[in-house]
Amino acid sequence: MAESWVNSAERIGVDLHLELPGPGGRRAALIRALREAVRGGRLAPGTRLPPYRSLAADLGVARNTVADAYAELIAEGWLTARQGSGTRVADRAVPLRPAERVPVKAPARARGTRHDLRQGTPDASAFPRAAWSAAYRRALQAAPNEAFGPGDPAGRRELREALTEYLARARGVRTDPDRIVICSGFAHALRLLFGQGAGQTAGQGSGGVLRGPLAVEAYGLDFHRGLLAAAGVRTVPLSLDEHGARVDGLGRERAVLLTPAHQFPTGGPLHPERRAAVIDWARARGTVVLEDDYDGEFRYDRRPVGALQGLDPERVMHIGSVSKSLSPALRLGWMVLPERYVGPVLAAKGEREGWASVPDQLALADFVASGSYDRHVRRMRQHYRRRRDRLVAMLAARAPHIEVTGIAAGLHAVLRLPSGTERSAVKAAAWQGVALDGLAAFRHPDTDMPAPDGLVVGYATPPEHAYGAALEALCGVLPPG
Ligand SMILES: Cc1ncc(COP(=O)(O)O)c(C=O)c1O
């Protein structure tokens, strides 16, 4: 049996955990354990080791055993001993070889990217650092001690109350705090709703609230389709036209996933008649509509489209996150659920909060309740509107043959291209270091609707100083008129 100990932090200023095998060979075992700790980087160069006596007492070995082990490691060059400063890890102790580290996949920015015009992220340089820090500080100071224990899987009540008020006011969502479950974003919501296969970590609840087949829009985020496929959920594409998803194509699917406020990625709102029709379908089928409200806050020159959920809170799951409004790095989102789904979603989440940091939830609650969220969203709306206007003006001047669509809302635009030119434009962009996607990247593989040529241009992503150059570069890769 392995025996382990943790030495007291007061004596040497660091906690050190070692494991020694059972009786016999203690000196050799201690040497091996210390050598491993140094080699693996757990004991950094310069770290002071415990005095013989305290280490011997902690380990239940003779003082001489420790003294001998230290002497051996000093002789080998792993440790050094100097009068008055005790025994320390030697400076030249070999660090972990790079090859032994767990390889981490580089984040999504493509190699060679000079101008990042991919959709999907807000302007990271505009994150409201000061206001968020102030909210965080206030939230931590006000938090009761129990907030630092295991979290409630429903999420902090403070946040659910703040969201209830905000979503009602800003998005027309009808709910109360007991029907909101906090999650880490839309992707997490999909995992909770469709189960383990969608990438859940073992031990984090059972998942599987809904089952496929699930109707989805013929153009959408490939990543989400991938999550669903991994969960074994078959998705059935609904064609799109200028009024959004053709919900008259709904049949015997078990649920439908839509982006009603701003079809992703093509850009229009779902027509009012279709909003009503999809609710009728859900009522008749006894099922639900999943509403992905991914950029509901960013409306420029058309009336804001309220949440579909407002039409029937018992037939729509409204799902949102701060990924577009604040940052996708926060991993905070919410599910506003019909009453009958609250229990199953909580059961899927598990007994404790295992996903969304409780202090971050409290900070967001303060951020929303104090009005900082509204202020930030208003400021960003202006910021993105100006960017959109620059994009539109630039294209009107330099590429008037290119139609720009989907621009009344959101953080991206779709540039319609002459038929047959999308692939070469995407290639030219990659060649010039301009990161963007063609419409084909979002197309459901099973749809038979016509495939328009287009580029999806995220105008939020570049930092302010780089935006002009990014637009210039974009103009350089468009097909000639
Ligand atoms: C269509 C769509 N839905 C939802 C999201 C938000 O995802 P999450 O909340 O998991 O960050 C995004 C973000 O890029 C999106 O593009």
Side-chain angles (χ1 to χ4, degrees):
M1 246 332 260
E3 174 190 312
S4 61
W5 58 271
V6 178
N7 76 332
S8 71
E10 310 91 271
R11 278 202 297 264
I12 60 161
V14 294
D15 281 347
L16 173 61
H17 173 89
L18 291 179
E19 292 195 351
L20 299 188
R26 313 298 290 232
R27 175 180 167 280
L30 178 56
I31 290 171
R32 260 199 315 276
L34 282 168
R35 209 190 273 129
E36 267 317 302
V38 175
R39 186 188 285 135
R42 288 202 302 123
L43 281 175
T47 304
R48 186 172 179 171
L49 295 184
Y52 306 148
R53 194 180 311 115
S54 48
L55 182 52
D58 281 338
L59 281 175
V61 299
R63 187 175 170 281
N64 275 350
T65 306
V66 179
D68 284 356
Y70 280 13
E72 173 83 33
L73 291 168
I74 289 166
E76 289 179 11
W78 295 96
L79 305 180
T80 57
R82 208 170 302 134
Q83 196 69 38
S85 81
T87 306
R88 292 178 184 271
V89 178
D91 279 343
R92 64 171 195 80
V94 189
L96 185 66
R97 287 199 310 275
E100 291 176 32
R101 292 181 194 277
V102 178
V104 178
K105 203 170 160 234
R109 194 179 153 93
R111 202 180 302 152
T113 295
R114 283 184 290 141
H115 306 286
D116 196 349
L117 288 173
R118 282 169 311 159
Q119 64 70 37
T121 38
D123 177 357
S125 69
F127 183 78
R129 294 174 192 240
W132 181 258
S133 308
Y136 218 109
R137 203 167 41 245
R138 284 193 302 268
L140 286 190
Q141 275 159 4
N145 289 342
E146 51 87 14
F148 301 98
D152 177 350
R156 285 300 294 189
R157 186 147 196 104
E158 294 92 328
L159 178 55
R160 290 182 286 121
E161 283 173 357
L163 286 173
T164 299
E165 186 279 328
Y166 172 78
L167 293 173
R169 175 166 55 73
R171 304 291 304 119
V173 169
R174 293 193 281 149
T175 190
D176 60 57
D178 293 331
R179 292 176 186 218
I180 297 183
V181 173
I182 300 303
C183 58
S184 75
F186 186 80
H188 182 208
L190 280 186
R191 290 177 168 122
L192 289 171
L193 291 173
F194 291 97
Q196 291 285 352
Q200 278 204 336
T201 308
Q204 289 289 351
S206 57
V209 175
L210 298 175
R211 282 195 292 158
L214 173 71
V216 297
E217 293 157 326
Y219 282 76
L221 207 56
D222 187 40
F223 173 62
H224 292 162
R225 282 197 299 267
L227 285 180
L228 291 162
V233 176
R234 187 164 69 85
T235 53
V236 180
L238 290 174
S239 296
L240 300 169
D241 63 18
E242 71 280 16
H243 298 309
R246 295 282 309 266
V247 296
D248 55 348
L250 283 167
R252 301 193 57 76
E253 296 82 10
R254 287 220 171 88
V256 56
L257 165 60
L258 298 174
T259 48
H262 187 225
Q263 202 288 319
F264 181 87
T266 61
L270 187 64
H271 191 279
E273 279 170 20
R274 296 194 185 169
R275 286 162 63 95
V278 74
I279 298 283
D280 287 345
W281 175 83
R283 286 178 184 153
R285 288 282 296 144
T287 187
V288 278
V289 183
L290 310 186
E291 175 176 34
D292 176 1
D293 202 39
Y294 67 103
D295 63 5
E297 283 96 348
F298 297 112
R299 299 284 161 269
Y300 308 123
D301 35 30
R302 67 163 148 78
R303 274 195 323 120
V305 181
L308 184 70
Q309 190 267 5
L311 294 183
D312 190 342
E314 287 307 317
R315 291 291 155 205
V316 181
M317 292 184 180
H318 174 88
I319 303 166
S321 77
V322 300
S323 293
K324 293 279 166 90
S325 55
L326 271 171
S327 160
L330 286 175
R331 304 317 304 150
L332 277 176
W334 45 87
M335 304 171 76
V336 180
L337 297 168
E339 194 173 11
R340 65 191 181 287
Y341 288 107
V342 174
V345 169
L346 288 177
K349 223 175 153 195
E351 278 174 27
R352 307 167 153 202
E353 177 58 73
W355 306 88
S357 142
V358 172
D360 284 3
Q361 292 185 36
L362 289 170
L364 182 61
D366 179 288
F367 201 73
V368 173
S370 65
S372 298
Y373 191 75
D374 284 81
R375 277 192 292 281
H376 177 68
V377 165
R378 272 203 302 275
R379 199 169 44 245
M380 295 314 290
R381 204 181 282 138
Q382 297 305 323
H383 179 58
Y384 295 138
R385 182 206 294 261
R386 280 194 297 273
R387 288 200 170 193
R388 181 208 56 172
D389 291 349
R390 280 176 71 185
L391 168 69
V392 172
M394 177 80 119
L395 291 170
R398 303 270 298 276
H401 58 290
I402 303 283
E403 190 194 353
V404 195
T405 62
I407 52 174
L411 308 183
H412 67 268
V414 176
L415 277 49
R416 301 286 177 171
L417 301 183
S419 183
T421 60
E422 179 181 314
R423 277 177 71 145
S424 54
V426 171
K427 266 195 186 158
W431 185 252
Q432 298 292 331
V434 181
L436 45 67
D437 291 300
L439 268 177
F442 302 92
R443 185 177 168 87
H444 194 293
D446 300 339
T447 184
D448 54 10
M449 71 172 274
D453 283 57
L455 295 178
V456 180
V457 173
Y459 48 80
T461 316
E464 194 59 16
H465 67 271
Y467 188 54
L471 290 186
E472 277 291 337
L474 173 67
C475 288
V477 303
L478 296 174

